[in-house]
């Protein structure tokens, strides 16, 4: 069993910053890609940023230059540093990880965190 636990969400004023963390735990042999997605009320879940196990990153155009994704492989943890936050960044942010487990050695499976709320408002 694998669990992803997010932390770091909250309420912040426009222009402010937040740092999200997501730690994976359980029966883990390895983690391939990790990423952050978000879902605003009434909208579909969308990709925010992803990072491979060797540190290559990809991010949505809407967050480029403001958000930075990083990871600590030793801690099975991915981070999202969010700067210059805007009201349109308000959403529930979900962590995702492609995890290799003892029961699925040949194919990484997708796991999701429970989500953490980010609200940007004055």
């Amino acid at each position: 069993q694998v669990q992803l636990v997010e932390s770091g969400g909250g309420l912040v004023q426009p222009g402010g910053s937040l740092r999200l963390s997501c730690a994976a735990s359980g029966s883990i042999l390895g983690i391939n890609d990790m990423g952050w997605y978000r879902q605003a009320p009434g909208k579909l879940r969308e990709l925010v940023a992803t990072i491979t196990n060797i540190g290559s990153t990809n991010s949505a155009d809407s967050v480029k230059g403001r958000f930075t994704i990083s990871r600590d492989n030793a801690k099975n943890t991915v981070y999202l540093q969010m700067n210059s936050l805007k009201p349109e960044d308000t959403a529930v942010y979900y962590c995702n990880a492609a995890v290799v487990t003892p029961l699925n050695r040949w194919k990484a499976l997708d796991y999701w965190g429970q989500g953490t709320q980010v609200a940007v408002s004055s």
Side-chain angles (χ1 to χ4, degrees):
Q1 189 74 358
V2 174
Q3 289 187 324
L4 302 184
V5 178
E6 299 128 333
S7 61
L11 174 63
V12 64
Q13 293 186 339
S17 298
L18 283 175
R19 188 189 194 214
L20 305 184
S21 299
C22 171
S25 63
S27 300
I28 298 172
L29 293 181
I31 302 178
N32 297 340
D33 291 3
M34 301 185 82
W36 291 95
Y37 293 73
R38 67 186 181 186
Q39 187 166 17
K43 294 189 176 181
L44 297 175
R45 189 173 297 188
E46 63 176 4
L47 179 146
V48 176
T50 60
I51 185 167
T52 69
N53 55 4
I54 58 170
S56 297
T57 63
N58 178 51
S59 60
D61 289 343
S62 59
V63 306
K64 276 186 169 66
R66 301 187 299 122
F67 291 10
T68 301
I69 189 170
S70 61
R71 66 189 281 175
D72 184 335
N73 290 334
K75 296 181 179 180
N76 290 334
T77 299
V78 63
Y79 306 96
L80 186 68
Q81 178 66 44
M82 304 185 293
N83 299 328
S84 303
L85 281 159
K86 305 175 181 180
E88 51 263 43
D89 295 318
T90 295
V92 177
Y93 284 69
Y94 296 91
C95 170
N96 171 267
V99 182
V100 179
T101 67
L103 291 180
N104 294 280
R105 292 175 179 268
W106 311 115
K107 179 178 174 56
L109 298 181
D110 270 346
Y111 290 87
W112 292 88
Q114 80 285 355
T116 185
Q117 177 71 53
V118 171
V120 185
S121 174
S122 55

